[in-house]
Structure formats: C-alpha cells, structure tokens
C-alpha cells in the first residue's frame, strides 16, 4: 500500500579487565545474584542466558538537535538548548530516521530516492550514499529497497533498513553497505508500513512500528521471524499509526501514535502504562540528556514540542516552521552524546563472555551495573533513572579513547536467568 506523504499516506584505545579478575568476581558476584528463583514469565526465551541491555543514563547536554524535514528534503540543525536555528543542514530527499553507526557516523534514510546516506559524525560532512542502487548495472544493489524509513545497526554490526512500500526489513553489510538479504519477510506478523522508529529492544529483539496495522511488532534478532505484538490498538492503548519508539534508561518505552494524537508509554515487557501526552500528529520522539523532558516533532505542526517528566506541556523548543521545517519526521542529537554498551557476547552461561563500552569520558570513572530485574530510581540530582534493581557495581577501566572492555566466564548456574546490564558515569549523570 502506498504512503500518503509520498502520495498517499495521511499527512506527510581499549582497556581490558583481566579474565582472571572477572572470573574471580563472577564467582563472588553472579552466584549470589541468582540465589533466588527468577519468575518464568520474566525469562526471555531467545537465549540460554537472556541479556537485557538498558539504554544508558544520559550524558552531558549536546550542542545540536537534528530534525528530519521530509518536505524540504533536509535534516535541519538547531541549538539543542535554545532551539535557535543553525546553519549546515544535511541534504536528504524525503528525510526520515537519523541514526549513529558503530563507526560514529550518521546514517540518514532518504525515502524519496531509496537510499541510506552517510555523514561524518563529527564534522557533518557528506560521505556519500551507503545503501544505493547503481544505475550503471542491471542489478538492484539494494535488493529492492523501496521507501526506506528506518536504518539501525544490530549487535552483529549489520545494518537493518525498513522498506515501507514492500513491508519488509532488509539487511546490509555494516561495513560495505552490500545487500545481504531479506531479514523480515513481506507482511510477516501483519507488518504493513514499517516506519522510522524501528529499533532494537533492550533484550535484543527487533521492534518495528507497523503504520497501517496500528501495531508495534517484535521480531527475532537472529532469524527475523515474527515473535509477538509489543503494542497495539486494543483498549486502553488505542494506538493508531505508530511512527517512533524511544526507550528511557530504565527500559520504559515511549511510542508516538500519529493517528491517535498521543504518546503512549509501555513497560520494558510491553505492558501498557499510560497515555503520557496528547499532541497533534506526533512523529519523531527524543529524550534529551539530563533534562528529564520529552521532545516531539510532527509532520503536520512542523515544530518541536517539549513535555516535562509528568507529561505536562512546556514552551516549544522550536516554533512551527522554524528553520524551514516541513514535514518533521525524526529527531536526533549531534554530536553523539550517548554511552554505547554492546550486547554481552555470546550471552551464554558456562562460557566466556565479553562486552564493549564506548563513548565514555576518556580515563573517567564509570561503572557496570548488573542485576536480575529492572527498576526505576534516580541518583542524586540526575533526572534520568537507573534501571537495574539492587545492582552489583563493577568499576570499569576506561582508556584514553573513552572505551572499556570487560570479559570473563559466566557460571553455568545462571542458565535460564535474565541479566540486566547498564553503564553509568555518576559524575556526569549519565
């Protein structure tokens, strides 16, 4: 089914903890951690040891805000604190999602030309198309990409792209952009119009907003098979035309309902919590660092609205039409302000495991929190919540490049349990 905004969607340096050190820690730490029985319903079925990686506590305020402007074929820049317009937009015909890759660069979906464009994550300089069809060859190098709305990197380093017009998710080599195959088959689980908010859930599964079927669908991160519905139109959710999904650091999900004119909130397991805010035709969402606010753009009102932690309306950050917004679809911060925590690999009990952290303050103090359940509480004056209940705290050895690696053996006794992992920098409230 065609979309109305294309005619016609309605509206438009590494430091490593020694193996022996962590093996000793795991004996002291992980065995007591799982001395109580984990309820069966909280155990995720996909892995022998399920790993729930929460979004990290958010960091120091970044300088810029990117707003994808579908109608003006640009990603526009604003001051993230004042909302003032800034020069240097990114060209992207039919601009949709803007995401960071593991290389630190920006990957922008250009829906009108069926490409994923790459921009330098530090300077903003154009690096050329990353996923595209070479018109000089008889083969479609994109594998049939039609209407890309979302591009997100998986734990395997590959790029997953939502193809709105074909109701698929396609997979590409994360280094070369070469087409690897169809990841989610056309219409799987009722997928109809995969939209810009496609993202990986903290448990590693792939969440896809299905615009035309009024649902957020969950898919297996290895096979692409349909698993379940994460959010939908049933009362009291009333979700209609979902566009974006954002996770708070404690695992709470915010979902924009374009058709229902509201932002819904869900627990990390998909349990409906509430209608957080009512707003006209919301599309892109953002939870900025340290502010405790939610930012929302819209392809109809063409502004950036702000809501406080209780869902109350604040003065808009960007007024309607600011800097030429025309069909706002997505929000992102620049430069990348987030600490990035990899998946625990391979995530199996009784074997060696490791995880990498990047984006830390160089040589700064950071900690890995480990627990068996989620929570939501704040630390001091920090506004974003910690998401690990009764965590065990392990210090990280952060190198001069702001990276750290922790590795060791998980005991077999934790098989079947769920680990919840989060990295924090208390000094920066992130």
């Amino acid at each position: 089914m065609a979309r109305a905004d294309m005619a016609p969607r309605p509206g438009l340096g590494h430091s490593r903890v020694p193996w022996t050190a962590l093996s000793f820690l795991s004996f002291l730490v992980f065995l007591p951690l799982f001395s109580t029985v984990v309820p069966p319903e909280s155990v995720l079925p996909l892995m022998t040891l399920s790993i729930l990686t929460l979004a990290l506590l958010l960091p120091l305020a970044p300088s810029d805000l990117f707003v994808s402007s579908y109608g003006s074929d640009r990603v526009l820049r604003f001051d993230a604190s004042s909302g003032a317009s800034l020069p240097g937009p990114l060209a992207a015909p039919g601009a949709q999602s803007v995401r960071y890759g593991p290389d630190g660069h920006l990957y922008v979906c250009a829906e009108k030309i069926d490409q994923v464009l790459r921009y330098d994550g530090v300077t903003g300089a154009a690096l050329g198309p990353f996923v595209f069809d070479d018109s000089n060859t008889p083969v479609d190098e994109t594998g049939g990409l039609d209407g890309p709305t979302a591009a997100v990197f998986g734990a395997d380093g590959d790029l997953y792209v939502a193809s709105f017009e074909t109701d698929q998710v396609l997979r590409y080599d994360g280094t070369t952009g070469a087409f690897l195959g169809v990841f989610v088959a056309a219409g799987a689980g009722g997928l109809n119009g995969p939209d810009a908010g496609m993202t990986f859930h903290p448990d590693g599964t792939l969440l896809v907003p299905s615009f035309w079927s009024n649902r957020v669908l969950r898919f297996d991160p290895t096979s692409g098979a349909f698993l379940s519905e994460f959010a939908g139109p049933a009362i009291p959710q009333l979700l209609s035309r979902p566009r974006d999904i954002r996770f708070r650091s404690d695992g709470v999900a915010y979902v924009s309902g374009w058709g229902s004119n509201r932002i819904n909130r869900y627990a990390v397991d998909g349990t409906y919590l509430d209608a957080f805010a009512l707003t006209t035709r919301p599309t892109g969402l953002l939870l900025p660092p340290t502010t405790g606010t939610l930012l929302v753009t819209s392809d109809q009102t063409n502004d950036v609205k702000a809501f406080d932690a209780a869902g109350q309306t604040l003065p808009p950050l960007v007024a309607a039409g600011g800097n030429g917004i025309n069909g706002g679809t997505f929000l992102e911060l620049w430069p990348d302000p987030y600490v990035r925590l990899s998946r625990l690999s391979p995530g199996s009990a009784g074997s060696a495991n490791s995880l990498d952290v990047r984006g830390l303050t160089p040589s700064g103090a950071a900690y890995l929190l480990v627990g068996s359940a989620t929570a939501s509480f704040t630390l001091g004056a920090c506004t974003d919540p910690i998401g690990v209940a009764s965590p065990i705290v392990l210090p990280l050895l952060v190198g001069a490049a702001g990276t750290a690696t922790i590795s060791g053996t998980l005991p077999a006794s934790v098989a079947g349990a769920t680990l919840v992992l989060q990295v924090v920098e208390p000094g920066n409230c992130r």
Side-chain angles (χ1 to χ4, degrees), residues 46-392:
L46 300 179
M47 306 169 71
T48 302
L49 175 67
S50 297
I51 308 298
L52 186 65
T53 307
L54 294 177
L56 307 178
L57 280 184
L58 294 169
L60 303 174
S63 58
D64 295 354
L65 171 70
F66 277 138
V67 180
S68 292
S69 179
Y70 182 94
S72 58
D73 300 328
R74 297 180 296 170
V75 178
L76 303 172
R77 284 179 60 204
F78 300 86
D79 185 283
S81 299
S82 69
S85 299
L86 297 174
L90 312 180
Q96 290 277 3
S97 79
V98 181
R99 302 277 191 178
Y100 288 95
D103 56 5
H105 294 319
L106 286 160
Y107 291 78
V108 182
C109 282
E111 185 176 6
K112 293 179 182 178
I113 58 173
D114 299 327
Q115 294 183 3
V116 179
L117 308 177
R118 181 165 55 175
Y119 289 86
D120 189 287
V122 176
T123 67
L127 300 177
F130 184 72
V131 173
F132 66 102
D133 177 31
D134 186 347
S135 60
N136 295 316
T137 68
V139 178
D140 182 356
E141 286 84 0
T142 71
L145 180 63
D146 191 356
T149 52
V152 59
F153 282 86
D156 56 5
D158 289 335
L159 182 67
Y160 296 80
V161 181
S163 181
F164 191 95
E165 301 297 338
T166 62
D167 302 320
Q168 297 171 303
V169 178
L170 306 181
R171 184 180 178 186
Y172 300 88
D173 185 283
T175 302
T176 66
F179 177 62
L180 298 178
V182 175
F183 183 68
V184 174
L191 183 61
N192 190 350
D195 222 321
M198 183 178 75
T199 189
F200 283 94
H201 186 281
D203 67 7
T205 57
L206 182 67
L207 294 183
V208 186
S210 182
F211 182 84
W212 293 112
S213 63
N214 303 319
R215 286 166 170 80
V216 174
L217 305 177
R218 188 198 297 257
F219 296 91
D220 186 288
T222 302
S223 69
F226 172 69
L227 296 175
S228 63
E229 177 184 301
F230 181 82
I235 297 173
Q237 300 181 56
L238 301 176
L239 182 64
S240 175
R241 307 298 189 242
R243 300 293 301 265
D244 199 4
I245 308 165
R246 290 284 182 168
F247 282 92
R248 201 170 64 185
S249 61
D250 58 356
V252 170
Y254 293 69
V255 179
S256 60
W258 187 92
S260 48
N261 296 309
R262 59 195 247 174
I263 313 296
N264 285 356
R265 291 197 301 182
Y266 298 83
V268 71
D269 63 358
T271 300
Y272 174 72
L273 298 177
D274 57 23
F276 177 74
L278 303 180
T279 183
T280 301
R281 300 301 193 214
T283 52
L285 307 177
L286 191 65
L287 295 160
T290 69
T291 65
T293 60
L294 173 71
L295 299 181
V296 182
T297 192
S298 167
D299 62 359
Q300 301 298 296
T301 60
N302 297 312
D303 56 5
V304 179
K305 294 182 174 66
F307 298 87
D308 67 17
Q312 298 301 305
T313 303
L314 298 172
L317 179 65
V318 179
N323 204 13
I325 298 178
N326 180 9
T329 58
F330 203 81
L331 301 173
E332 189 53 276
L333 298 166
W334 185 65
D336 186 3
Y338 301 103
V339 175
R340 307 285 180 174
L341 175 63
S342 74
R343 300 277 295 167
L344 188 64
S345 179
S348 298
S351 64
N353 284 261
S354 65
L355 62 84
D356 297 315
V357 187
R358 59 185 175 86
L360 295 163
T361 301
S363 304
Y367 302 88
L368 175 67
L369 308 185
V370 183
S372 59
T374 59
S376 183
F377 62 94
T378 56
L379 182 67
C382 298
T383 58
D384 236 43
I386 287 176
V388 186
S390 303
I392 290 167

